[in-house]
Amino acid sequence: MKSNEHILIVGKDEMLLRTRQMILGTHFQVETAGRVSHAAGLLAGRRFDLLVLCYSLTDEECRQVVQIARNHPPQPKILEISMLGRPCAAVGIQEELNSEEGPYALLQKAADMVGFELRSIGRSARAS
């Protein structure tokens, strides 16, 4: 059973977006955006609990997405995915995850950030 938490993943690599959507979509409601303008439209029209920023974004794109998120309350928590020491250079990043940690680490980090307890792969429960 999926939780009610909504996650927006923003990045320019379509394959990474789809893969992360499939991974996080096992437990959460997930949307993706491949452009800042698309992310802006989604953030303006919906509430997201978590915003995931990919290292495929430029520093400026990261800053723009974070600024947009801050202008549309309630503000989502922000997770930055880095690779080989190259993070998305957004201001106000709350958490960071190295992409080399793998898909389960992404799922666990997202669950921790939104207060969702993963009991085991494929089974989950609401954190108390």
Side-chain angles (χ1 to χ4, degrees):
M1 184 166 116
K2 286 189 180 185
S3 73
N4 291 325
E5 282 80 12
H6 289 78
I7 297 175
L8 174 59
I9 307 167
V10 185
K12 293 193 295 190
D13 185 314
E14 189 68 27
M15 187 179 297
L16 282 176
L17 283 176
R18 294 295 160 231
T19 302
R20 290 174 180 154
Q21 182 178 36
M22 288 173 31
I23 292 163
L24 294 175
T26 60
H27 294 284
F28 307 104
Q29 310 299 320
V30 180
E31 296 281 343
T32 63
R35 296 179 319 277
V36 172
S37 59
H38 186 204
L42 290 170
L43 287 164
R46 299 185 187 132
R47 179 193 63 79
F48 290 95
D49 302 289
L50 179 63
L51 174 61
V52 179
L53 300 174
C54 180
Y55 58 82
S56 64
L57 297 169
T58 66
D59 294 351
E60 181 58 29
E61 289 168 328
C62 286
R63 282 190 284 276
Q64 288 174 357
V65 173
V66 169
Q67 187 61 42
I68 292 163
R70 288 181 175 158
N71 290 331
H72 295 289
Q75 295 177 14
K77 293 182 179 179
I78 301 171
L79 172 61
E80 169 184 34
I81 299 178
S82 63
M83 184 176 105
L84 302 173
R86 195 265 180 234
C88 175
V91 177
I93 296 302
Q94 294 164 334
E95 297 282 341
E96 184 177 333
L97 177 72
N98 188 313
S99 66
E100 287 86 23
E101 292 184 49
Y104 187 75
L106 172 60
L107 182 59
Q108 184 65 60
K109 178 65 102 171
D112 290 347
M113 289 182 73
V114 298
F116 189 78
E117 181 184 344
L118 295 176
R119 289 191 178 171
S120 66
I121 296 177
R123 300 188 76 174
S124 58
R126 194 81 169 118
S128 334

